[in-house]
């Protein structure tokens, strides 16, 4: 109910008491108090209350049959309990699993050695560019022993399209020498051994363990970091702490596929600069909804790779990806 204006209040009070409007309250005494009350009434009468800003509407989920979440889209979950956080995080993963049932590592590889080298080369560039570059590298140097004995200048020329080619040449030759000398030319299947190799950190190690050896691990790349923070799964910024915080929300058996789902979503829909909120299947569960384009038609134009009808990043993608409508990427120099 709106408050009466100063004029209406004064008249009503005057009629009721027969006194001046500023004395009608019966509470304020003295001339100063009356003036202060009058000024307050003027302020209330002249400035209407600010209208509440309506929360953005929830985006329509791309996956049919998803009921709207209890949290308001675009608002951080206030006072979310640990149990509620676990449930929301796991539900997001389930929804993404339906959207990307064919999710896979987006680096081409035929064996653990190729995956290890490709993952090292993927730093500061796209998986697509790595996939376009590694065919020539592995054709010339198919084994760790071959790459360990390679001429660095020749390797640099092959890796030039990947960027930082001198540092990457040093890393892949160095790790190849370590594999040949310390592990008999075989990629080790243990985290503690992998991280000792030149240019190999926990992220690279988990990519290899999860996808070449079937051992669960969480891959905390830039996409993964950005999305789990947007979803309020953690406030951590250190990759190792993010890994530990997210791992605690899911059973170990989910870790590798979870990494694929989150990374794929970050590359295709939840972009860094302009996320396609209006085309996001987990918008009702996202506290950051509204940071990007919310109009469904405009959001569709932001979709990348197979979601936008464009080729993927692998030259040799799995059959399940092709069956889902994905197209292989073109080779280097194919226009």
């Amino acid at each position: 109910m709106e408050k009466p204006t100063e004029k209406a209040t004064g008249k009503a009070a005057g009629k009721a008491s027969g006194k001046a409007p500023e004395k009608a309250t019966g509470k304020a005494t003295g001339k100063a108090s009356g003036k202060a009350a009058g000024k307050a009434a003027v302020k209330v009468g002249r400035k209407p209350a600010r209208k509440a800003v309506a929360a953005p509407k929830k985006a329509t989920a791309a996956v049919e049959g998803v009921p709207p979440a209890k949290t308001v889209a675009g608002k951080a979950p206030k006072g979310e309990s640990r149990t509620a956080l676990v449930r929301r995080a796991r539900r997001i993963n389930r929804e993404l699993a339906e959207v990307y049932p064919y999710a896979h590592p987006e680096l081409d590889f035929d064996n653990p050695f190729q995956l290890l080298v490709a993952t090292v080369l993927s730093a500061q560039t796209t998986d697509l560019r790595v996939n376009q570059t590694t065919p020539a590298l592995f054709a010339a140097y198919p084994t760790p022993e071959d790459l360990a004995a390679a001429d660095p200048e020749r390797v640099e020329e092959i890796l030039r399209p990947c960027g930082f080619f001198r540092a990457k040449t040093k890393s892949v030759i160095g790790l190849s020498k370590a594999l040949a000398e310390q592990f008999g030319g075989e990629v080790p299947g243990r985290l503690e051994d992998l991280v000792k190799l030149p240019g190999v950190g926990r992220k690279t190690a988990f990519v290899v363990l999860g996808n070449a050896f079937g051992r669960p691990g969480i891959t905390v790349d830039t996409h993964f970091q950005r999305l789990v923070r947007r979803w309020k799964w953690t406030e951590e910024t250190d990759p190792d702490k993010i890994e530990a915080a997210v791992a605690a929300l899911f059973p170990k058996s989910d870790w590798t596929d979870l990494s694929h789902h989150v990374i794929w979503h970050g590359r295709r829909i939840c972009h860094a600069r302009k996320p396609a909120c209006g085309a996001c299947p987990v918008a009702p569960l996202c506290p950051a909804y509204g940071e990007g384009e919310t109009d469904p038609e405009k959001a569709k134009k932001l979709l990348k790779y197979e979601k936008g009808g464009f080729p993927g990043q692998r030259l040799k993608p799995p059959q399940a990806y092709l069956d889902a409508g994905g197209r292989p990427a073109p080779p280097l120099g194919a226009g």
Side-chain angles (χ1 to χ4, degrees), residues 93-105:
N93 186 41
R94 289 195 302 271
E95 303 299 349
L96 295 182
E98 291 189 30
V99 178
Y100 311 108
Y102 43 76
H104 56 266

Side-chain angles (χ1 to χ4, degrees), residues 63-291:
V63 180
E64 294 183 1
V66 179
K70 292 182 179 180
T71 54
V72 176
K75 298 291 183 181
K78 295 182 180 179
E80 185 176 46
S81 68
R82 176 71 180 180
T83 299
L85 170 60
V86 170
R87 289 175 177 171
R88 183 169 62 86
R90 293 185 182 185
R91 184 177 172 192
I92 286 176
N93 186 41
R94 289 195 302 271
E95 303 299 349
L96 295 182
E98 291 189 30
V99 178
Y100 311 108
Y102 43 76
H104 56 266
E106 295 192 269
L107 290 167
D108 283 322
F109 69 98
D110 293 324
N111 55 57
F113 172 62
Q114 291 186 1
L115 178 58
L116 176 60
V117 171
T119 305
V120 170
L121 295 178
S122 68
Q124 304 299 316
T125 190
T126 64
D127 287 356
L128 171 59
R129 184 46 57 94
V130 173
N131 293 334
Q132 293 174 327
T133 305
T134 51
L137 180 70
F138 296 140
Y141 311 106
T143 68
E145 290 83 359
D146 294 327
L147 190 53
D151 176 4
E153 291 186 1
R154 186 182 175 193
V155 176
E156 286 180 0
E157 283 304 309
I158 295 174
L159 299 184
R160 186 178 294 272
C162 286
F164 302 97
F165 58 91
R166 291 190 178 89
K168 290 180 180 180
T169 294
K170 184 177 180 180
S171 291
V172 297
I173 290 180
L175 72 85
S176 296
K177 287 181 178 179
L179 290 175
E181 295 170 0
Q182 301 174 29
F183 299 100
E186 298 292 332
V187 176
R190 300 195 311 165
L191 175 65
E192 52 267 38
D193 292 330
L194 284 169
V195 295
K196 293 178 183 177
L197 298 172
V200 178
R202 289 179 67 88
K203 178 180 79 70
T204 297
F206 281 131
V207 170
V208 175
L209 289 173
N211 299 287
F213 293 99
R215 297 176 183 174
I218 292 179
T219 304
V220 184
D221 72 348
T222 55
H223 301 287
F224 193 95
Q225 292 184 49
R226 184 179 75 251
L227 266 63
V228 299
R229 286 174 57 81
R230 275 181 176 170
W231 292 333
K232 303 297 182 183
W233 288 4
T234 179
E235 295 295 332
E236 299 291 351
T237 56
D238 178 76
D240 291 349
K241 292 181 179 180
I242 291 174
E243 177 197 324
V246 175
L249 301 176
F250 296 88
K252 192 173 182 179
S253 58
D254 288 351
W255 290 353
T256 299
D257 285 341
L258 168 70
S259 300
H260 292 322
H261 298 154
V262 175
I263 293 170
W264 273 56
H265 192 58
R267 286 174 172 170
R268 285 152 176 77
I269 295 178
C270 195
H271 312 134
R273 295 183 180 177
K274 196 170 184 181
C277 294
C280 179
V282 296
L285 299 166
C286 180
Y289 173 80
E291 288 186 6

